[in-house]
Amino acid sequence: MGSAFSFCRPAKAKWQVIVGFGSLLSEVSARGSFPSLRNFRRGKLRNWKRVFAHPAAIFFERGIARMETREIASLSIEPCEGEEFYVALFEISDNEMPTFYAREEEFKFVTVSVEEEEKGLFTEAIACARGTDELFIERWGQDTFHQKYKKNGIESIWNFEGKILPCRVTTKLLFILCGVVWG
């Protein structure tokens, strides 16, 4: 993991602010991946939208993808002027960044400005945006692309042909998190 990852750090700090908008809306889920995270809080991301637009290898690995109904889509974000939504913000140490990159392997990592709900201040944070197949292959290699996607009948992560629907388990989790945790 070299230059393909180094660009997305917004600061030379020892802690990086991460944007959670899917399963990372849950502090329990976030702590499962990043045990030493700190300062979990709510924020608002403006001029971006959440999109179920790509299949995620983790859904196939966990046996929750439904290829027959095309319920295989995961969340990413895309720029969208005038849109906004609530996100989780938390900090992870630089030592945990390789874990973050591996967990979010298919994404393009972008630096965004997020409004912290309690303070009303803006902070720079790392978010997972729509990527490209080429970026995935550059980072992880053609063999990994084949093992994680092509062997499951997926020819492209980000240019999926035909209808694609949200993974049912992920959708259920988001409804629970948005309704119960986020009110």
Side-chain angles (χ1 to χ4, degrees):
M1 282 187 271
S3 62
F5 298 101
S6 59
F7 69 91
C8 69
R9 294 187 181 185
K12 300 233 186 248
K14 293 187 186 261
W15 292 84
Q16 301 297 326
V17 181
I18 303 296
V19 174
F21 54 83
S23 64
L24 293 179
L25 283 170
S26 161
E27 186 171 359
V28 171
S29 178
R31 283 195 186 282
S33 294
F34 315 108
S36 67
L37 78 78
R38 68 181 191 188
N39 201 12
F40 193 90
R41 61 209 185 270
R42 196 157 95 165
K44 187 180 288 187
L45 184 59
R46 299 178 194 277
N47 298 316
W48 290 83
K49 66 180 179 178
R50 283 186 286 212
V51 184
F52 283 99
H54 72 285
I58 190 76
F59 297 159
F60 292 95
E61 293 164 10
R62 292 185 176 170
I64 60 174
R66 291 183 171 185
M67 193 62 166
E68 66 279 1
T69 59
R70 304 289 189 172
E71 293 173 70
I72 59 175
S74 181
L75 276 173
S76 62
I77 61 171
E78 297 176 358
C80 188
E81 192 67 33
E83 293 293 320
E84 62 184 40
F85 60 95
Y86 285 104
V87 298
L89 296 171
F90 56 91
E91 297 157 20
I92 64 174
S93 73
D94 278 350
N95 295 337
E96 289 180 304
M97 289 305 291
T99 302
F100 174 72
Y101 295 140
R103 183 188 195 280
E104 309 297 348
E105 65 189 1
E106 72 270 29
F107 295 100
K108 175 182 175 184
F109 304 109
V110 296
T111 301
V112 294
S113 180
V114 184
E115 182 180 6
E116 295 193 40
E117 185 178 59
E118 285 188 21
K119 298 177 185 173
L121 302 173
F122 285 84
T123 189
E124 285 190 331
I126 299 170
C128 297
R130 181 182 185 92
T132 66
D133 294 347
E134 295 76 19
L135 181 59
F136 181 92
I137 293 166
E138 175 188 335
R139 287 180 184 155
W140 308 106
Q142 188 68 47
D143 288 344
T144 301
F145 182 77
H146 179 79
Q147 286 299 312
K148 289 184 172 268
Y149 291 96
K150 289 203 173 199
K151 82 169 190 174
N152 290 307
I154 306 296
E155 294 298 316
S156 173
I157 304 168
W158 296 102
N159 298 304
F160 191 84
E161 300 229 358
K163 178 175 87 171
I164 188 169
L165 298 170
C167 175
R168 194 172 292 206
V169 173
T170 302
T171 305
K172 182 178 178 181
L173 173 66
L174 285 173
F175 278 121
I176 291 169
L177 289 173
C178 290
V180 175
V181 176
W182 295 89

